[in-house]
Amino acid sequence: MSRLLSHLGPGLPILAAPMSGGPSTPALVTAAARAGGLGFLAAGYKTPKTLAEQVRTVRADGVPFGVNVFVPNPVSVSAEDYRDYVRAIRPEAALYGLRLPDGEPVEDDDHWRDKIDLLLADPVPVVSFTFGLPGRSVVAELRRAGTVVVQTVTSADEARGAAGIGVDAVVVQASAAGGHSATFTSAHPPGAVPLPELISRVRGAVPLPVIAAGGLGGPAGVAGVLAAGAEAAMIGTALLRTEESGASAPHKAALADPAFDTTVITRAFTGRPARALRNHFVERYDHVAPVGYPALHHLTGPLRKAATAAGDTRLMHLWAGTGHRHARTEPAARTFARLAGGL
C-alpha cells in the first residue's frame, strides 16, 4: 500500500471517478468506500448549496471521500459561430417546444470561488481538479486545511504543470475515458495514447503518485495499470449501471443496448471534447459544432434535459468510455469486487 493510499484510507487501489450531471450520488461515493475503495463527489454543475448538502450526507456515513471541482478554463466562441449552431440544432429543440437562446453566448465559472471557500471552511479528505490548474495559492490553502490535492492530467506536460503548483498526486486520464476530457487545451484534444504508455510518460516526467483512468472496465485492465506503475485505478463508466448510480434510466439502458456499439469523442453537446456513445445528435452535429465551453453546454442543456425526460436516446449525451460493455446492473460493491479479482 502506497503512502498516498494509506493516508486516504482505501484498502483496494480502486477509486470511483467523479461523474458530473448526476451519476456520482452520495450513495455511490459511500458504497465505493465501504467496498474498500474511495469515491468522489462531482462538484461540477452543482450549486455550492447542493455540494454542501452532499458533503454532509457522505460525511455522516463516516467514510473517506473526495470532491472534484472544475477549474474555470473557458474557451470563448464567437457570436456568429454560436448563432450558426443555434440555427443548426433548432429543429431538434422544436420537437420539445423549446426556444433556444440566440443572444450572446453564456459564460460562467461554475461558482468557482464559492466552492473553494466551502472546501476551505469545511475541509474534505481529498479535492481533485479537472480542466485546468487551480493555482498555487489554492493548492497551498487546501493542503494547509489538511486536504490531499489531486490534479487530473492528460499528458506529461500537464503533469509537469501540476507538479509545479504543489499537488500531492495526479490522475492520468487517457482518451478512452467516458465523459469530458480533462485536457487543459480543449481546442486541441489529446491523442489516443494507450493508458499504460501514458502512465509511463507521466512517471518519467514527475515524481508524483499516479492514479490511472480511462477505459478501465475489467480486472485485467485494473491489474495492467497497476503493473504499469499506477498506485490506483479510477473507474467511472463501469459504475454507471450500478444500483447506487444516479445516471438516468435511458442512459443505463443505452450502455447495454447493441444498437449503441461505438463511442466517439465529440464536442456536439458542450463545445468541449467528451467521449459518448455515437447517436443521432453526434452524427448530425459534431462536424458543425464549434469549440466553445461552457457556452455550448448551457445552450444544449435544456434540450438534453428534455430528451432525457422523454427517454430520447437520439438526442441525449450518453457519456461512455471504451469499456462501457463492462458496466452491469449490480450493487457497486460487486463491481469493485469484480474489478479487484485480478489483483
Side-chain angles (χ1 to χ4, degrees):
M1 182 70 70
S2 73
R3 284 187 295 173
L4 172 68
L5 294 185
S6 295
H7 181 72
L8 298 183
L12 284 178
I14 303 176
L15 283 59
M19 295 177 282
S20 295
S24 292
T25 62
L28 180 57
V29 173
T30 295
R34 289 181 173 163
L38 184 81
F40 282 77
L41 291 171
Y45 309 134
K46 291 187 177 76
T47 65
K49 179 181 178 182
T50 298
L51 175 59
E53 291 170 350
Q54 292 198 342
V55 166
R56 285 194 295 269
T57 297
V58 177
R59 183 171 279 134
D61 289 332
V63 299
F65 66 101
V67 173
N68 175 259
V69 183
F70 289 168
V71 175
N73 187 7
V75 178
S76 297
V77 57
S78 72
E80 180 180 0
D81 288 345
Y82 178 79
R83 290 172 189 143
D84 284 346
Y85 197 53
V86 171
R87 286 191 287 271
I89 67 173
R90 188 170 281 152
E92 311 291 0
L95 296 174
Y96 291 99
L98 299 174
R99 185 180 183 278
L100 297 178
D102 55 6
E104 292 298 313
V106 175
E107 307 280 2
D108 67 9
D109 66 359
D110 197 37
H111 307 284
W112 164 254
R113 190 65 238 184
D114 289 341
K115 289 174 181 176
I116 295 300
D117 289 345
L118 167 66
L119 294 169
L120 289 171
D122 188 14
V124 301
V126 192
V127 169
S128 66
F129 292 104
T130 301
F131 294 171
L133 298 175
R136 183 183 293 273
S137 62
V138 171
V139 172
E141 288 180 287
L142 288 166
R143 295 188 75 202
R144 281 196 296 269
T147 296
V148 173
V149 180
V150 180
Q151 177 69 48
T152 312
V153 301
T154 62
S155 69
D157 282 345
E158 290 179 356
R160 291 187 188 97
I165 62 170
V167 304
D168 296 292
V170 290
V171 172
V172 175
Q173 184 203 55
S175 66
H180 283 114
S181 169
T183 179
F184 300 175
T185 56
S186 59
H188 305 284
V193 179
L195 184 51
E197 181 179 340
L198 191 56
I199 293 168
S200 178
R201 292 182 187 181
V202 170
R203 292 186 71 222
V206 298
L208 295 173
V210 166
I211 299 163
L216 300 175
V222 171
V225 296
L226 297 180
E231 298 201 4
M234 179 173 276
I235 58 173
T237 303
L239 293 167
L240 281 175
R241 297 180 68 210
T242 60
E243 294 173 3
E244 296 88 351
S245 165
S248 69
H251 190 175
K252 290 182 176 183
L255 291 166
D257 188 339
F260 295 103
D261 59 359
T262 306
T263 67
V264 294
I265 294 177
T266 179
R267 62 173 182 261
F269 295 106
T270 67
R272 182 179 179 90
R275 186 173 291 278
L277 297 175
R278 184 191 296 274
N279 66 358
H280 164 79
F281 197 87
V282 171
E283 290 178 348
R284 185 156 186 174
Y285 300 108
D286 181 68
H287 69 288
V288 297
V291 176
Y293 180 88
L296 265 65
H297 160 74
H298 292 300
L299 170 64
T300 67
L303 174 57
R304 291 181 282 133
K305 183 177 180 179
T308 300
D312 185 354
T313 52
R314 296 169 60 256
L315 303 179
M316 291 172 55
H317 57 296
L318 300 170
W319 300 148
T322 57
H324 68 279
R325 290 299 192 220
H326 291 281
R328 298 181 185 175
T329 301
E330 62 186 3
R334 190 170 300 166
T335 303
F336 271 81
R338 179 162 48 83
L339 293 175
L343 304 183

